Every structure is written in C-alpha cells, then in structure tokens.
Amino acid sequence: MDDTPVLDNHMHLDPAAGRGMAAVDDFAHLGGTHLLVVNKPSWHLGVESTDPEDFRSVFQTTIDIVADASERLPGRAWPVLGAHPGLISRLVEDRGCSPAEARDCMQGVLDIAAEYVESGDALALKSGRPHYEVDDAVWDVSNDVMKHAFELGADRDCAVQLHTEASEDLTEIAEWADERGLDPLHVVKHYASGRLAGPTPSVMCRKEWLKTVAENGDAFLMETDFVDDADRPGAVMGPKTVPRRVRWLREEGYDDAIETAHVETPRRVYGIDTRGTLGEPQTLG
Ligand SMILES: [Zn+2]
C-alpha cells in the first residue's frame, strides 16, 4: 500500500493442520510486513506432558515456522513463546496434577521459553490467566504463574504478552509487573478492546475498537489472533485483516495511530525496528 510497516502483533501459524505459509502470503499481498507468531497451545501439537522439558518441541516448531515466514515477508517475523493459561485446567483436570504441581510445571515451561529469549531465538514471553471461571486454588496459582512470567521478563528484559479475561482495567496486573521490575508498558494484553488501563493493549481489529484507541492517542498494537486451524475457519479474524484495517485507518485520517501501532509501540514495547527491517534482502522470490 505504501512503505509503512504493518505488524500483526498476535497470530498463530500451523503448516501441519492449517494454511501455514499460504496465510503469510495472504497477509503480505495485502501489505502486511511483520508478524509476531505465538506458539499454539501445547495440546494442539500433541504435547500432553507434565515435564516442562517436553515443551521444547512446541517452541522449536514455532521457531522453524517463523524462519519460513520471515523468508516470505517484506519485513520479518518473530516468535513469542510461553504457556497458554488454559494449560492449567488440562494439567489439573486431565493429568491429575494438584494446583501447585500445575503451577510448577507451567513456571518450568516459562523458564524454558525464557532460555529462547536469552539466546535471541524468541522475542517475548506469553503468559496470562484463564478467561473462564475456575476455582480459587486454580485462580491463585494462575496468578503465580503470571507473576513468574513478569520476573522472567524483568530479568531477560523482554515483553510479556498476556491472555486474560476480558477487561478494560488491568491496573492490578500492571502493578504486579511493576513490583517485579517489569515496566507495565512491556506487558501486552492480547485480544484487547479499544480501552485498557494498565498494560499495553493489543487491539483486535474491530473498527469501533480501533477508532476508540486511535482517538485516545496512547500506545497500542493491532492483532487478529488468527488461529490457523482448519477445523475452526471462522473462529477469529483472517490473516488479511490487519493490512485491511491499516488501509481503512489511513482513509479515515488516522495516520498518527498507524505510526503508533506499527512503528512506535513495537519499538517501545519489544525494541524492534519495523521500519529498519523493512525491505531486507529476500531469500525467496
Ligand atoms: Zn492466540
């Protein structure tokens, strides 16, 4: 569309079960340039273990997919690795873990994800807490897992993407991050609406939400949460949506918001240079 970077802040890619690189091509053809690819929930990739070491295959799969995607983009992709908050219920209900054992497993999975950040193979961590009703014990250990992610983020100097309940006020969570030395700016609420107090919102591409966040002028990101699951084709937005919405924002005169979501906020939150990585030499024609 022009030389503006266009980043989808939260997408999944599954070449084995979904569209994989065809989805990346769709994104790029509409003007998409950069992607943050979040690992699929471990159980979708056949990992049903309680041993954190067994989750390395989930992370390695994501890193390999990101390498392939980067070859097809005018910019590049980066991996975001961690434990889906719904894992806690699978560990407790299906694997027979106590809440404390489930917490230890998930914190161990995050420790391994942080190793990939440390080595430069991943950009950020993914954590959060269930968006559905759980009992108090599971809720409490889920918060412990998230706090551990903040400690790792502070220690590795990386951002933490969160999957949480729908909310426009997560100031308590922002305080937990701050107390652990992680700037709440570096905490990103995935699947956000147009308003959020506390962390940085990664706003789903509904026009009314984008309009709200564009009007208020604060830091934000844009995402689709494309799941790339052939069994759930209409579950979320498709891979073309962020580039289409950027075009729409341009038509509506929100040029500053485009710069905020695709250049400034990515730089401030993740330390990535979306403009500087645009037009890197392609290894694939
Ligand atoms: Zn997701």
Side-chain angles (χ1 to χ4, degrees):
M1 78 191 79
D2 49 35
D3 57 2
T4 301
V6 173
L7 168 73
D8 189 327
N9 181 62
H10 185 114
M11 183 188 272
H12 305 274
L13 290 170
D14 191 344
R19 301 187 58 225
M21 294 306 128
V24 176
D25 291 346
D26 277 357
F27 173 72
H29 285 150
L30 270 285
T33 61
H34 293 80
L35 289 174
L36 295 198
V37 180
V38 183
N39 63 264
K40 287 198 108 175
S42 43
W43 58 93
H44 286 227
L45 298 176
V47 173
E48 296 282 7
S49 176
T50 58
D51 180 355
E53 285 298 323
D54 291 336
F55 289 72
R56 286 184 191 275
S57 67
V58 174
F59 298 151
Q60 196 55 56
T61 296
T62 307
I63 289 166
D64 292 345
I65 290 167
V66 163
D68 290 345
S70 285
E71 291 188 351
R72 310 174 85 93
L73 292 167
R76 57 164 296 182
W78 290 273
V80 176
L81 304 180
H84 190 286
L87 176 61
I88 199 96
S89 299
R90 299 188 73 92
L91 291 169
V92 170
E93 289 163 21
D94 300 345
R95 303 260 81 79
C97 293
S98 68
E101 288 167 343
R103 174 198 64 208
D104 292 348
C105 172
M106 290 178 67
Q107 291 182 343
V109 172
L110 285 166
D111 289 341
I112 291 172
E115 288 178 20
Y116 288 93
V117 172
E118 181 112 58
S119 63
D121 291 318
L123 180 67
L125 297 171
K126 162 82 189 294
S127 185
R129 63 187 181 191
H131 62 274
Y132 48 88
E133 281 294 313
V134 293
D135 65 38
D136 289 348
V138 169
W139 184 252
D140 290 345
V141 294
S142 293
N143 282 325
D144 290 345
V145 171
M146 186 165 50
K147 290 170 184 171
H148 185 67
F150 295 154
E151 285 168 11
L152 291 170
D155 191 51
R156 306 300 193 280
D157 195 22
C158 74
V160 178
Q161 277 200 17
L162 294 182
H163 176 124
T164 71
E165 74 280 13
S167 174
E168 294 186 349
D169 184 357
L170 294 179
T171 46
E172 185 183 36
I173 284 179
E175 282 164 21
W176 292 343
D178 207 26
E179 286 164 10
R180 286 160 182 80
L182 183 66
D183 183 341
L185 179 75
H186 296 164
V187 178
V188 177
K189 186 200 183 313
H190 132 75
Y191 217 109
S193 64
R195 288 179 216 280
L196 181 65
T200 300
S202 179
V203 179
M204 281 291 276
C205 279
R206 289 195 196 157
K207 285 183 179 177
E208 64 270 32
W209 290 352
L210 292 174
K211 202 158 195 155
T212 300
V213 74
E215 293 280 353
N216 80 21
D218 293 338
F220 77 104
L221 296 151
M222 287 169 62
E223 68 165 73
T224 54
D225 196 20
F226 176 61
V227 291
D228 202 14
D229 185 339
D231 295 334
R232 299 168 62 214
V236 284
M237 294 171 176
K240 298 175 182 172
T241 313
V242 168
R244 280 184 175 146
R245 290 295 181 268
V246 169
R247 189 168 301 187
W248 173 77
L249 286 167
R250 183 79 77 206
E251 288 164 7
E252 297 286 310
Y254 292 114
D255 298 287
D256 289 350
I258 295 170
E259 186 75 8
T260 296
H262 299 277
V263 179
E264 284 303 310
T265 307
R267 179 181 60 74
R268 294 173 66 201
V269 171
Y270 301 111
I272 58 178
D273 181 358
T274 53
R275 193 161 270 135
T277 50
L278 200 52
E280 279 180 349
Q282 301 292 294
T283 53
L284 187 97

